[in-house]
Every structure is written in C-alpha cells, then in structure tokens.
Amino acid sequence: MSEFSRIPALTLLPAVDVASGKAVRLTQGEAGTETSYGDPVDAALEWANDGAEWIHLVDLDAAFGRGNNRKMIQKVVKAVPRHVNIELSGGIRDDKSLEAALATGAKRINLGTAALENPEWAAHVIAEYGEAIAVGLDVRGSTLAARGWTEEGGDLWHVLERLEEAGCARYVVTDVTKDGTLNGPNLELLRDVMERTHRPVIASGGVSSLDDIAALRELVPLGLEGAIVGKALYAGAFTLPEALDVAGN
C-alpha cells in the first residue's frame, strides 16, 4: 500500500454553472467570457451517472445581479438522483433569496457577497442553519471579490476572523485569478486559510489535471475536504471516474 493511498479521500464536486438557462464556463469569473456546454440538466445527470456524490450548482445571472435561473436550478435539483447532493451558489443575499434557495432542495447553500456586505445577517443565518451554510471566499491576492467578482469585498483575513467568531461551518475558497484558466490550484492560499481555521475547506479554481487532484488530496490531512472541478471536465482533460479514482473515491 502506497503512502498516497493512505491519505483520506478528497470529495469532488463537478460544477454546473448556469447562465441564460445554459450550462457555461467562465474564465476568471468574468461576464462575457462564457463558453456554453448545453443543457444544465444533462450536465448534472452526466456527472451523477459518472459517480459524483456532490454537484456544485451556480446561478451566474443571480451572482451578477442580472436576473436568475431559478426554474432551471429547480429542474436540475429535481432531476439528479436523491443520493447526489447539491451545493447551490449565486445571488443569495437576503431572507427571500435564501428561502428560495433552500426550497429547491439543495443540501448546502453558499453565501458569497452577503457574507461580506451584511455580516450581521450572515452571522444570523450561520447560527440558524449551521451545516447547511458555507461561505465562499473568492480571493485575488488577499483581497476578497464580491458582486460576481466585480467589486472588492475587504481583506480575506479580517473577514475570515469574523466568520470564525460567527461559527461558520465550512469555507469554499476560490483564487479568482485561477478560475477557468486550467493553470492549477493555488495550494499556498489553501494552506494559509487552513492554518487559520479548523473548519473544512473546499478548493475551487484552476484544477487542470489528475496531478492537481493528487496535490489537493495531499492537503486533506490539513483540513481540505473537497475540490470543485469545472472547466477541465468540460474540456475533456480527464473524465470524472478518473478523477474520482485519484481522489480516493
């Protein structure tokens, strides 16, 4: 038995990003860089059939404040088998949008901008819903990005300290400069975040190869729970079964 095979498994979350009713991928999260990959339901079912236990579902239009894909999001959640969990993100900034997100049947909701701009509300939601809430930390350097990554959202370490005090259950950490680029994940950023929290961390952005997944799995003992994989899967860099094998699933 190799040393690597003794490392606990890394949970993989294939991404389905929805804009204008289509599954798309962006480059560095920028509006206007969309590449379309067809029907979101088909994409989600493909990942489910390939062995995914989680799917990371994003309403990009809601994130950018240009409408929403609520009906399509509901269709995706209903279409996947019950054993597949949905992590839902995008434009969840108040009670109304949070209730709508929870009503879809998603297992976990990611707060982004709201956790930065409305800390009292975010703390209340974290206290009320616990494990059902994760906070997305979208980072350029050590500065957080908000509003669909179009505005600055404060210092990463100050915000993380505040979220720790609020009892946040989980963080989704994205290096915005890596997202959609296939240039590899920012392992140093992930290590720095995990040094400052005992909560589980999910990595997002830049995964381009099976070697990247192996490198992320090596961080599991430090607190990395999972990794979101998007463009590499859609571009055919590897298959999801291959990735799950390397991740130890």
Side-chain angles (χ1 to χ4, degrees):
M1 197 179 197
S2 70
E3 286 295 319
F4 183 71
S5 65
R6 291 195 189 98
I7 299 172
L10 176 75
T11 300
L12 296 184
L13 299 87
V16 179
D17 293 1
V18 184
S20 302
K22 301 290 186 188
V24 304
R25 297 304 299 164
L26 304 184
T27 301
Q28 296 185 352
E30 291 183 17
T33 65
E34 291 94 342
T35 301
S36 178
Y37 290 96
D39 189 318
V41 173
D42 291 344
L45 286 174
E46 181 180 345
W47 305 141
N49 292 335
D50 279 350
E53 294 181 4
W54 280 87
I55 290 172
H56 182 74
L57 184 60
V58 184
D59 188 337
L60 285 176
D61 292 321
F64 284 116
R66 60 190 187 195
N68 65 68
N69 295 276
R70 201 162 286 155
K71 287 183 179 175
M72 177 55 76
I73 296 293
Q74 287 175 330
K75 278 179 69 175
V76 173
V77 178
K78 284 181 180 174
V80 299
R82 283 190 177 177
H83 67 271
V84 178
N85 299 304
I86 299 288
E87 177 179 85
L88 180 59
S89 183
I92 301 157
R93 299 185 177 123
D94 54 27
D95 287 335
K96 187 177 178 182
S97 53
L98 175 62
E99 284 164 14
L102 289 165
T104 64
K107 176 90 169 180
R108 189 159 67 220
I109 306 299
N110 279 7
L111 301 183
T113 297
L116 312 180
E117 295 182 350
N118 195 344
E120 286 89 4
W121 180 76
H124 164 72
V125 168
I126 286 165
E128 185 169 349
Y129 293 102
E131 284 284 332
I133 301 294
V135 171
L137 300 172
D138 303 335
V139 189
R140 284 189 186 92
S142 63
T143 301
L144 288 159
R147 298 275 165 188
W149 300 352
T150 59
E151 298 177 14
E152 291 191 357
D155 177 76
L156 167 62
W157 307 121
H158 291 161
V159 171
L160 180 60
E161 191 174 326
R162 172 165 56 74
L163 290 167
E164 284 288 284
E165 288 174 6
C168 183
R170 183 176 276 95
Y171 302 101
V172 179
V173 178
T174 305
D175 182 340
V176 176
T177 66
K178 295 277 192 180
D179 190 69
T181 64
L182 301 178
N183 284 335
N186 187 336
L187 302 177
E188 185 178 352
L189 170 65
L190 294 167
R191 284 195 190 96
D192 287 346
V193 170
M194 289 185 294
E195 280 181 6
R196 291 167 169 84
T197 179
H198 295 299
R199 302 295 188 174
V201 171
I202 295 172
S204 174
V207 172
S208 64
S209 67
L210 296 175
D211 285 344
D212 288 339
I213 292 170
L216 288 168
R217 185 178 172 190
E218 289 181 357
L219 299 182
V220 171
L222 302 180
L224 193 70
E225 177 182 72
I228 295 166
V229 186
K231 199 165 190 176
L233 285 173
Y234 288 92
F238 48 78
T239 68
L240 183 57
E242 288 170 339
L244 290 168
D245 185 53
V246 173
N249 294 280

